[in-house]
Amino acid sequence: MGAFFAKYKFFGIVLLGLSAVIVYLFYDALQPAKKLPVYQPSMVSQELVDSTLHYKKKYHTIADFELTNQNGTSITQEDYADKIYVADFFFTTCPTICPIMTKNMAQIQGSILDDSDVMLLSHSVTPDIDSVAQLKKYALEKGVVDSKWNLVTGDKKQIYELARKSYLAVKTDGDGGPYDMIHTENFILVDKERRIRGFYDGTNPEEIQKLLDDLEILKASYTD
């Protein structure tokens, strides 16, 4: 009897292993696909949302825009049509959080370099200082790939309105006037329909990894 069991022991172990794999695959197939929320103004802290949008519960999208990038090229929403993108707000002379944010955005750039569906968009909050030439200098220093990442300058009021009313990224005080200044560490994940799908601390490595993970979930939602 012992010889019989010894003879078939190997086959029993293999069968047990195959059974475990089948059970795991069956269980995994039954799990619902991960989905990201579609953020509406009513879901975000009122401190970060313009008062006119506090109770908006659906249909929020990023507004049309026209700005100028590091190469002096006009950039509009059409350049991001049918693209997923990550947006942020920075300025080239910032000595505190911006260098960390730019480094982390460059890390994201490295991850999406060969992905034609994903781009980056960084808005200067000091457009009077960040001229095209200044942005180009900064882009070269930071390894910006022009085809993937636009650093944009332009009308201050337009940029600040985008930050407050479209990206829901900064406190609502101020109107983009001469003495108005916003400073935010937020990275914002935007889908192909120009909807916000996530907010992340651009200075936190763990949040950057979460953004990259969420990006994969979002990309997969377009192939289902």
Side-chain angles (χ1 to χ4, degrees), residues 89-103 138 183-184 203:
F89 294 83
F90 82 112
F91 57 108
T92 62
T93 55
C94 166
T96 53
I97 63 173
C98 295
I100 301 170
M101 292 168 62
T102 301
K103 179 182 176 182
Y138 191 81
H183 210 196
T184 175
T203 67

Side-chain angles (χ1 to χ4, degrees), residues 71-130:
N71 296 310
T73 302
S74 177
I75 300 296
T76 74
Q77 68 281 349
E78 293 303 318
D79 294 283
Y80 287 81
D82 202 33
K83 302 289 184 185
I84 296 168
Y85 69 96
V86 181
D88 75 336
F89 294 83
F90 82 112
F91 57 108
T92 62
T93 55
C94 166
T96 53
I97 63 173
C98 295
I100 301 170
M101 292 168 62
T102 301
K103 179 182 176 182
N104 288 336
M105 194 68 92
Q107 177 190 336
I108 296 169
Q109 176 183 248
S111 298
I112 64 165
L113 209 51
D114 298 321
D115 191 334
S116 61
D117 280 340
V118 187
M119 294 179 67
L120 309 175
L121 179 61
S122 293
H123 308 74
S124 171
V125 299
T126 58
D128 50 333
I129 297 172
D130 288 333

Side-chain angles (χ1 to χ4, degrees), residues 36-49:
L36 301 181
V38 177
Y39 282 92
Q40 304 297 332
S42 62
M43 299 166 61
V44 179
S45 169
Q46 289 191 356
E47 188 179 42
L48 300 175
V49 179

Side-chain angles (χ1 to χ4, degrees), residues 9-65:
K9 180 179 180 182
F10 173 75
F11 297 103
I13 292 171
V14 171
L15 184 61
L16 185 64
L18 285 173
S19 299
V21 170
I22 290 169
V23 169
Y24 171 78
L25 291 175
F26 184 71
Y27 175 80
D28 188 61
L30 291 176
Q31 297 304 302
K34 292 182 179 178
K35 293 183 178 180
L36 301 181
V38 177
Y39 282 92
Q40 304 297 332
S42 62
M43 299 166 61
V44 179
S45 169
Q46 289 191 356
E47 188 179 42
L48 300 175
V49 179
D50 187 86
S51 60
T52 61
L53 300 173
H54 279 175
Y55 303 104
K56 187 174 183 180
K57 296 182 178 180
K58 55 185 178 180
Y59 306 132
H60 181 76
T61 57
I62 305 304
D64 292 351
F65 59 89

